C-alpha cells in the first residue's frame, strides 16, 4: 500500500509518497503520475521522505514520467530521499536524468515553486 | 560442472592500452607503498576483467564439454587446448546464442578448424547456421575460405524449448528478445544447472517474456546474465538494442531462486574501475531488493573458473 499526498506550490506540484515503491504499487504510481503529467505547471516534485524502498518497476515508472514531462517542457525531481533510496536511484542511473534535492525547499526554489500550498 | 569464462565482453574486443596499464601500476604502487597487500588491492588495480568477447566453457564431471558462443575468447581457448597435447579433445561442441559478430568472430582464429581429425559441431536455433558462419569467411572479410577448412564441420538445428542431450548434459534453448533473435541455454547435469543468457533484453518483471525467462531460470545454481547497460540506459537511449541491466538481472535471479548471478557481456565503454563499481553497486541493490532471498552476485571476467 502506498499513499500519495498532493500539494500545489505555485506552478509546482509536490507529491508526497509514503510506502514501498515496489512492483505491486507501480500501477497506482503510474496512473497518478500520468494524470499529473497530463496537467499543467512547471513541474513535479516527488517527496520521498516516507519511501523506504524502490524497485525496478517503479524506477521505470519514474523514468517514463520524467520523459513525458521533459517532452512537455516540464521537469520531474525527487527530494528528501533516504540514503538507501538515494543509492538505488544512483545505481539505476536515474539521478543522471532527473533532479535530486536533499530537501523540499531546495527543489521548490530551483523549480520556481513557492508560497503557501494552494 | 565447471564453468570457465574465456570472453566476457560485449560487442567488440576491448584490449587494455599502455596508458591503462601504466595508470593501474602507478595507483597500485602507491597503495602498496602505503602498506596494502597485493591481495587487498581492488580488482581493477591487481587484475582486469578482460577484453575478449563472449565465450564460455562448461565441463561436466562425466567428461563432457560444451562451448557457449565463439567470440574472441575462443581463440585463447584454442591456444590453451594446443598446450594440452594428446589429452586435448578432438570433438568440439559449440552452442551459439546467435550469430552477431561478437559471438562468432573468434572462430576464424580457433586453431582446431585448421587441423584434420578435428570435428566441430555447432548447435543453434537460427536457420541456415552454416551459411551464417560461412559469411564471415568470405574473401572480402577473411583470407581463408570456409569450405577449405581442414576440420569437419557439423551443424545441429535446435528448437526453442526442446531439451536435447549434448555431451551428456541436458540442454534447453529459450528464445530471447534481441534484434535478429538470440537464444539462452539452460544446461543441466547431475542435478546441477547453469543458465547462459546473453544478448537478451528483459523489459520488466510483468512482461510475459520476462516471466517466461524467470520460469526458465527457476532454481538454477548459476545464471550468466547480460547486464551490459545501466537500468536507465536500457530503458531509454539503448532500449530495443537487445540488452539488459544489473538491476533487472538481480530482480530476475531473486524471483527465480537462482543461487549465483554472474554479470556478463560487459559494455566496452566501461573500464575495469567502472566495472568494479558496477559489481559493488549490484551487491548493494541485491541487499535492498528482497533481502530475505539469498543471492551471490559477481562479475564474470576472462579467465574466471566457477564450480557449479
Amino acid at each position: 500500500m502506498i499513499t500519495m499526498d498532493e500539494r500545489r506550490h505555485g506552478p509546482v506540484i509536490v507529491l508526497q509518497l509514503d510506502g514501498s515503491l515496489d512492483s505491486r504499487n507501480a500501477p497506482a504510481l503510474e496512473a497518478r503520475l500520468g494524470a499529473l503529467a497530463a496537467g499543467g505547471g512547471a513541474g513535479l516534485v516527488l517527496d520521498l521522505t516516507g519511501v523506504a524502498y524502490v524497485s525496478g518497476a517503479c524506477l521505470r515508472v519514474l523514468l517514463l514520467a520524467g520523459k513525458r514531462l521533459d517532452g512537455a517542457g516540464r521537469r520531474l525531481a525527487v527530494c528528501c530521499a533516504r540514503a538507501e533510496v538515494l543509492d538505488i536511484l544512483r545505481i539505476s542511473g536515474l539521478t543522471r536524468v532527473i533532479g535530486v534535492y536533499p530537501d523540499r525547499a531546495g527543489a521548490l526554489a530551483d523549480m520556481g515553486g513557492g508560497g503557501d500550498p494552494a | 560442472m565447471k564453468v570457465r569464462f574465456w570472453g566476457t565482453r560485449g560487442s567488440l574486443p576491448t584490449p587494455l592500452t599502455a596508458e591503462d596499464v601504466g595508470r593501474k601500476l602507478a595507483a597500485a604502487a602507491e597503495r602498496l607503498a602505503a602498506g596494502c597487500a597485493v591481495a587487498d588491492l581492488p580488482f581493477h588495480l591487481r587484475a582486469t576483467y578482460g577484453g575478449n568477447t563472449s565465450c564460455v566453457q562448461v565441463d561436466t564431471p562425466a567428461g563432457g564439454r560444451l562451448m557457449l558462443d565463439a567470440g574472441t575468447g575462443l581463440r585463447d581457448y584454442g591456444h590453451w587446448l594446443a598446450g594440452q597435447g594428446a589429452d586435448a579433445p578432438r570433438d568440439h561442441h559449440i552452442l551459439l546464442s546467435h550469430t552477431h559478430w561478437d559471438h562468432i568472430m573468434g572462430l576464424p582464429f580457433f586453431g582446431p578448424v585448421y587441423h584434420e581429425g578435428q570435428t566441430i559441431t555447432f548447435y543453434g536455433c537460427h536457420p541456415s547456421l552454416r551459411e551464417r558462419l560461412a559469411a564471415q569467411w568470405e574473401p572480402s572479410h577473411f583470407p581463408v575460405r570456409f569450405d577449405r577448412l581442414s576440420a569437419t564441420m557439423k551443424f545441429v538445428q535446435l528448437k526453442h524449448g526442446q531439451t536435447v542431450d549434448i555431451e551428456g548434459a541436458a540442454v534447453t534453448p529459450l528464445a530471447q528478445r534481441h534484434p535478429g533473435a538470440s537464444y539462452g541455454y539452460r544446461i543441466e547435469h547431475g542435478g546441477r544447472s547453469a543458465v547462459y543468457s546473453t544478448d537478451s533484453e528483459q523489459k520488466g518483471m510483468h512482461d510475459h517474456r520476462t516471466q517466461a525467462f524467470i520460469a526458465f531460470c527457476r532454481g538454477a545454481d548459476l545464471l550468466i546474465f547480460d547486464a551490459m547497460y545501466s537500468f536507465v540506459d536500457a530503458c531509454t537511449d539503448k532500449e530495443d538494442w537487445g540488452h539488459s541491466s544489473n538491476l533487472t538481472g538481480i530482480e530476475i535471479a531473486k524471483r527465480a531462486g537462482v543461487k549465483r548471478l554472474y554479470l556478463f557481456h560487459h559494455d566496452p565503454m566501461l573500464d575495469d574501475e567502472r566495472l568494479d563499481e558496477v559489481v559493488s553497486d549490484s551487491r548493494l541493490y541485491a541487499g535492498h531488493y528482497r533481502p530475505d532471498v539469498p543471492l551471490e552476485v559477481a562479475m564474470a571476467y576472462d579467465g574466471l573458473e566457477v564450480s557449479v
Side-chain angles (χ1 to χ4, degrees):
Chain A
M1 179 68 183
I2 186 169
T3 59
M4 295 181 261
D5 180 35
E6 183 182 326
R7 302 281 175 93
R8 182 172 286 276
H9 294 256
V12 179
I13 294 168
V14 175
L15 190 65
Q16 175 148 354
L17 304 173
D18 283 287
S20 264
L21 297 188
D22 56 20
S23 57
R24 287 170 303 172
N25 292 322
L29 180 65
E30 185 172 18
R32 187 65 172 268
L33 295 186
L36 290 172
L44 176 61
V45 175
L46 304 178
D47 185 324
L48 303 182
T49 305
V51 172
Y53 172 77
V54 186
S55 77
C58 282
L59 288 170
R60 196 178 289 267
V61 169
L62 297 183
L63 186 61
L64 293 176
K67 281 175 71 175
R68 189 167 175 191
L69 285 165
D70 189 54
R74 299 160 66 204
R75 291 169 62 195
L76 175 68
V78 299
C79 70
C80 310
R82 301 176 187 190
E84 55 268 35
V85 169
L86 208 51
D87 276 340
I88 297 172
L89 299 179
R90 177 186 58 76
I91 291 167
S92 71
L94 206 68
T95 52
R96 288 190 278 112
V97 294
I98 65 170
V100 178
Y101 298 88
D103 51 50
R104 188 185 287 201
L108 287 172
D110 200 36
M111 294 178 73
D116 296 324
Chain B
M1 292 188 285
K2 190 182 80 179
V3 174
R4 184 182 172 105
F5 295 89
W6 291 94
T8 57
R9 193 63 74 161
S11 301
L12 80 164
T14 312
L16 291 175
T17 64
E19 192 182 348
D20 294 334
V21 176
R23 269 202 305 270
K24 279 175 186 278
L25 283 174
E30 194 175 312
R31 293 195 189 206
L32 293 172
C36 180
V38 172
D40 294 332
L41 287 171
F43 186 84
H44 74 270
L45 291 183
R46 63 182 160 79
T48 179
Y49 288 95
N52 275 324
T53 64
S54 303
C55 182
V56 178
Q57 170 188 345
V58 179
D59 287 353
T60 70
R65 176 170 297 170
L66 310 177
M67 299 303 294
L68 304 170
D69 279 329
T72 60
L74 188 68
R75 173 180 173 272
D76 284 357
Y77 169 66
H79 288 168
W80 177 79
L81 273 183
Q84 304 299 303
D87 292 336
R90 302 176 75 78
D91 286 332
H92 309 277
H93 301 268
I94 301 178
L95 283 68
L96 295 172
S97 62
H98 63 318
T99 53
H100 281 169
W101 61 3
D102 51 322
H103 295 261
I104 61 170
M105 63 170 68
L107 197 54
F109 303 94
F110 181 46
V113 302
Y114 299 103
H115 296 287
E116 284 185 16
Q118 301 276 338
T119 301
I120 301 165
T121 307
F122 296 95
Y123 302 82
C125 296
H126 291 83
S128 311
L129 210 51
R130 186 188 187 285
E131 289 70 23
R132 284 167 173 258
L133 293 182
Q136 75 170 337
W137 307 72
E138 286 298 313
S140 54
H141 299 305
F142 200 71
V144 182
R145 296 296 299 264
F146 189 72
D147 53 12
R148 297 284 183 85
L149 298 176
S150 300
T152 301
M153 304 290 199
K154 294 181 178 176
F155 298 87
V156 176
Q157 185 75 41
L158 301 180
K159 287 184 182 169
H160 160 80
Q162 202 166 90
T163 303
V164 293
D165 181 294
I166 305 175
E167 288 280 276
V171 177
T172 310
L174 178 84
Q176 303 179 133
R177 185 186 282 114
H178 189 73
S182 74
Y183 293 84
Y185 293 103
R186 183 175 176 120
I187 300 163
E188 297 175 295
H189 186 278
R192 297 285 179 164
S193 53
V195 172
Y196 176 72
S197 173
T198 190
D199 295 66
S200 174
E201 183 167 352
Q202 303 295 343
K203 294 268 190 187
M205 297 308 114
H206 295 297
D207 177 78
H208 73 282
R209 294 190 72 170
T210 296
Q211 288 180 352
F213 182 65
I214 291 169
F216 184 70
C217 296
R218 182 76 59 204
D221 296 287
L222 174 69
L223 168 58
I224 300 167
F225 185 80
D226 172 352
M228 189 167 182
Y229 299 137
S230 72
F231 180 86
V232 162
D233 284 345
C235 297
T236 55
D237 296 349
K238 294 166 182 175
E239 188 173 22
D240 297 328
W241 286 18
H243 301 284
S244 293
S245 71
N246 53 342
L247 267 60
T248 300
I250 288 162
E251 294 193 3
I252 287 171
K254 288 210 173 193
R255 284 170 179 254
V258 166
K259 295 180 181 63
R260 281 188 284 175
L261 170 68
Y262 275 74
L263 306 176
F264 186 75
H265 206 269
H266 311 315
D267 188 342
M269 296 296 287
L270 303 183
D271 63 13
D272 286 322
E273 184 171 9
R274 184 70 190 103
L275 288 172
D276 262 1
E277 291 168 5
V278 170
V279 70
S280 170
D281 283 348
S282 301
R283 287 171 179 153
L284 194 59
Y285 187 68
H288 285 302
Y289 183 80
R290 298 194 174 186
D292 52 317
V293 179
L295 175 68
E296 181 186 326
V297 181
M299 189 71 85
Y301 60 87
D302 296 7
L304 172 67
E305 275 191 19
V306 180
S307 290
V308 177

